[in-house]
Amino acid sequence: MRNAPALSLAALLLSTGIAQADYTLHILHINDFHSRIEPISKFDSTCTTEDDAAGKCFGGVARLAAKINELRDGITQAGGNVIVLDAGDQSQGSLMYTQYKGAAEAGFMAMIGFDAMAVGNHEFDNGPEGLAVFLDKADTPIISGNLDVSQSNLLNGRLQKHVVLDVGGQKIGIVSALATDTPETSSPGPTVIFKDDIDSLKAEVAELQSQGVNKIIALEHLGYVRDQKIAAEVPGLDAVVGGHSHTYLSSNDPDAAGPYPTKVKGPDGADVPVVQAYAYSKYLGHLELTFDDAGNLISAKGEPILLDASVKPDPTYAAKVADLAKPLEEVRAKVVAEAAAPIDGQRETCRQQECQMGNLVAEAMLDRVKDQGVTIAIQNGGGVRASIDAGPITMGEILTVLPFQNTLSTFETTGATIVAALENGVSQVEEGAGRFPQVAGLKYSFDPAKPVGSRVSDVLVESDGSWGAIDPGKTYLAVTNNYVRTGGDGFAMFKDAPNAYDFGPDLADVTADYLAAHLPYTPALDGRITRK
């Protein structure tokens, strides 16, 4: 009889040991920060001081740092394990980037203490030189497994294929990949070679497994659709932390694009959780993974955290932000126009259908050069980065909408080439790609259910106040921005256009002038783009 209690105790100790062998890892993550160092409004543009004081704003690096430090400190003090990841695109999107060219974003990342960051396509917006500036200031492993930068004298040896973190006595492998269409969406130049993302990830995972790493996270800048394909096809991944598509996921919000985490069956039949955390510092993702003692993922849960006014900004960061903002105030504060109603420039509309901001920008472009005989304007939806609220419009708001310092480009082209350009523009609408064409002087319909290359129909052009079918063989004068004209976002059909002039005024200035000439500006949709 005396042996029974001893046996029960042994069994209890054994069961306790098994429970203790489970390993839980907390992943705090962001993606597509896009230089939103200052707090943002509900329209994702820089928030006014008055609205921030009234509790109407979100995010900003001071709030982001406060929440990361709060969670990281709490988890660590409780004996837990935590890493902080960034899935790319710190760069481009506000006056902060225009002024400091990435150095400010990299400095704040170093202050926060990110454990790894994926290279985003917009890290190349100022060429390899721009990424080099970022790397000069970054104190974070910057990784991308499918980039070959050995031919770049600026980047060779400065990017890692993967990183292995020691977290609570366990090795955590982080692999990464960048979208292979980056040469179309940014400016990496000829010395940055892109390899297939899936093949590269498979090779990096195999390399880590050969080193005995059995917990591997993909930190990638590919987009939500591609994230899920990666999870389904790359063996050995335990989770995918993504970016690029600015996808809002939540298991508690019916308006979300999918659950957080989105679980995808991997090659071995096990669930692989996929997460993103929207963009612009509005949310902080928090994914909790639990592994058994053999390194198998047995649980994945979490939810993004809204960084609203309930999150008090870290005062040290807030003070530094205020110092960096001082040189920007004069430009930002200049009131240049007024809007009679909010002007919608949301990513979800401008990359899917006719949108108010797309109409505004395209009409502004066409208005500026119509006296040259230009009749067609095309603006890529991805070039529109924010909305504008009703009331006074400042130059700072316009520069947040149009931050890329693109210039007007005029050129000659045929009707057939215009139709080909529209086909390119709607070819990736399912993925919310930035190539979606907002237009002026043009009407068209498209059917996303049809095969790529045959989605566009009913293309009409305006002539002398009336609309008629586009003539494939006729030469038209068109205007776009210099990025699109030189082949960006897949518009390769414009690269060799005759009589091209890419050095017109800045698109932000053109838009500001157009708004000032139409006071108060009333946003509108008129059916120029029909989605069937």
Side-chain angles (χ1 to χ4, degrees):
M1 291 291 296
R2 290 196 322 204
N3 286 340
L7 184 61
S8 298
L9 179 60
L12 177 62
L13 289 173
L14 181 61
S15 66
T16 302
I18 292 174
Q20 289 176 340
D22 290 348
Y23 174 88
T24 297
L25 177 68
H26 296 263
I27 301 176
L28 307 179
H29 64 98
I30 64 169
N31 54 276
D32 301 284
F33 182 74
H34 284 300
S35 191
R36 295 314 203 268
I37 289 172
E38 297 171 286
I40 61 170
S41 71
K42 63 182 179 180
F43 298 105
D44 296 332
S45 57
T46 302
C47 195
T48 65
T49 303
E50 294 76 16
D51 281 351
D52 200 20
K56 298 179 180 180
C57 299
F58 306 87
V61 74
R63 276 195 184 90
L64 179 65
K67 181 56 69 173
I68 287 175
N69 289 334
E70 172 196 330
L71 292 173
R72 181 168 51 193
D73 291 348
I75 292 166
T76 302
Q77 289 169 11
N81 309 294
V82 59
I83 58 176
V84 183
L85 303 178
D86 182 341
D89 272 5
Q90 275 280 321
S91 303
Q92 193 63 267
S94 78
L95 279 176
M96 285 286 187
Y97 183 79
T98 303
Q99 179 76 15
Y100 299 108
K101 305 300 183 187
E105 293 82 359
F108 282 119
M109 285 193 73
M111 287 176 65
I112 291 173
F114 280 79
D115 292 292
M117 174 185 163
V119 177
N121 58 313
H122 287 289
E123 266 68 69
F124 285 110
D125 276 0
N126 288 325
E129 297 84 356
L131 179 53
V133 169
F134 189 87
L135 293 170
D136 288 341
K137 295 288 185 180
D139 188 25
T140 299
I142 311 295
I143 62 174
S144 196
N146 68 325
L147 296 186
D148 177 358
V149 296
S150 61
Q151 298 179 35
S152 170
N153 59 353
L154 293 169
L155 302 177
N156 186 25
R158 305 189 66 187
L159 295 178
Q160 301 180 45
K161 296 288 188 182
H162 60 253
V163 66
V164 178
L165 306 173
D166 189 332
V167 187
Q170 296 285 321
K171 291 181 178 181
I172 308 299
I174 312 292
V175 297
S176 186
L178 173 58
T180 56
D181 66 351
T182 293
E184 299 176 3
T185 64
S186 190
S187 305
T191 63
V192 178
I193 309 302
F194 286 76
K195 299 180 178 179
D196 182 78
D197 49 4
I198 290 179
D199 290 345
S200 298
L201 287 167
K202 286 180 177 179
E204 294 302 312
V205 170
E207 170 66 20
L208 291 179
Q209 289 176 327
S210 73
Q211 299 174 17
V213 179
N214 64 0
K215 301 175 182 66
I216 301 175
I217 313 299
L219 178 67
E220 54 192 41
H221 198 81
L222 301 172
Y224 182 53
V225 172
R226 193 69 176 172
D227 290 342
Q228 294 172 80
K229 185 174 180 64
I230 297 296
E233 295 189 15
V234 178
L237 291 178
D238 293 299
V240 174
V241 177
H244 191 44
S245 55
H246 299 205
T247 305
Y248 170 53
L249 301 176
S250 173
S251 298
N252 300 320
D253 187 344
D255 293 329
Y260 183 107
T262 299
K263 295 182 179 179
V264 178
K265 290 294 181 186
D268 63 356
D271 284 339
V272 179
V274 174
V275 294
Q276 278 197 40
Y278 186 55
Y280 309 127
S281 76
K282 189 172 185 177
Y283 292 90
L284 173 65
H286 184 185
L287 177 64
E288 184 178 338
L289 304 177
T290 301
F291 300 86
D292 65 19
D293 57 358
N296 299 307
L297 183 67
I298 56 177
S299 173
K301 60 184 180 180
E303 188 71 9
I305 301 164
L306 179 64
L307 302 183
D308 59 10
S310 67
V311 179
K312 302 305 177 186
D314 183 292
T316 300
Y317 287 79
K320 186 170 179 63
V321 171
D323 285 342
L324 290 170
K326 287 177 182 177
L328 313 178
E329 288 308 317
E330 185 177 351
V331 173
R332 174 180 288 139
K334 182 181 179 182
V335 175
V336 296
E338 183 177 352
I343 309 170
D344 175 32
Q346 293 296 300
R347 179 188 184 98
E348 293 78 11
T349 48
C350 292
R351 297 179 180 221
Q352 299 277 337
Q353 60 200 49
E354 178 189 359
C355 75
Q356 293 172 345
M357 192 67 75
N359 286 356
L360 165 61
V361 174
E363 291 291 349
M365 296 164 71
L366 188 56
D367 183 74
R368 177 59 68 98
V369 294
K370 64 184 180 183
D371 60 351
Q372 301 174 27
V374 176
T375 58
I376 293 171
I378 297 178
Q379 164 67 21
N380 57 320
V384 173
R385 309 303 289 190
S387 301
I388 292 178
D389 204 354
I393 300 175
T394 65
M395 195 63 200
E397 288 179 291
I398 294 174
L399 286 165
T400 299
V401 173
L402 301 165
F404 298 111
Q405 299 179 303
N406 291 137
T407 54
L408 287 199
S409 293
T410 54
F411 58 102
E412 291 181 1
T413 188
T414 65
T417 301
I418 290 292
V419 174
L422 296 176
E423 288 285 6
N424 167 70
V426 302
S427 65
Q428 297 180 10
V429 68
E430 301 92 338
E431 302 171 30
R435 62 189 61 195
F436 188 87
Q438 301 291 332
V439 298
L442 197 66
K443 293 181 179 181
Y444 70 93
S445 299
F446 74 100
D447 185 350
K450 290 187 175 180
V452 169
S454 59
R455 294 178 168 183
V456 172
S457 62
D458 306 317
V459 182
L460 304 176
V461 292
E462 188 176 18
S463 177
D464 298 325
S466 61
W467 293 91
I470 196 166
D471 183 345
K474 182 179 177 179
T475 296
Y476 296 88
L477 289 177
V479 62
T480 185
N481 60 68
N482 64 307
Y483 169 71
V484 167
R485 215 290 301 160
T486 55
D489 267 340
F491 288 94
M493 66 290 298
F494 291 157
K495 287 183 71 173
D496 298 318
N499 295 318
Y501 182 76
D502 299 327
F503 310 106
D506 187 287
L507 185 53
D509 292 331
V510 169
T511 303
D513 291 345
Y514 184 81
L515 285 166
H518 295 79
L519 294 175
Y521 179 77
T522 301
L525 302 176
D526 57 19
R528 65 186 67 183
I529 302 173
T530 302
R531 180 170 178 151
K532 293 184 176 180

